[in-house]
Amino acid sequence: MIRASGTAGFQGHPATVASSRLTSAVAASLAVAALSLCLIVTLTVLSTKATMAMGLPV
């Protein structure tokens, strides 16, 4: 079996898949999502600690 030239692996020219504006927008939205997730986790931990410090009503 003879392999055709230029069809093996990643030897061809890379094709542009998305524009740089789209890539920047996706990166920015991921950064905002990560920051909001960190904020939610921080608030959850702090509220849990505050609840534990108050103790259970008897």
Side-chain angles (χ1 to χ4, degrees):
M1 218 181 236
I2 298 173
R3 183 179 292 168
S5 64
T7 59
F10 296 100
Q11 295 173 357
H13 296 291
T16 303
V17 177
S19 67
S20 61
R21 268 179 80 185
L22 179 61
T23 305
S24 297
V26 170
S29 65
L30 286 174
V32 168
L35 279 173
S36 63
L37 182 63
C38 288
L39 183 65
I40 289 170
V41 168
T42 302
L43 288 175
T44 302
V45 167
L46 289 176
S47 67
T48 302
K49 284 185 178 182
T51 304
M52 295 280 196
M54 283 191 278
L56 296 173
V58 179

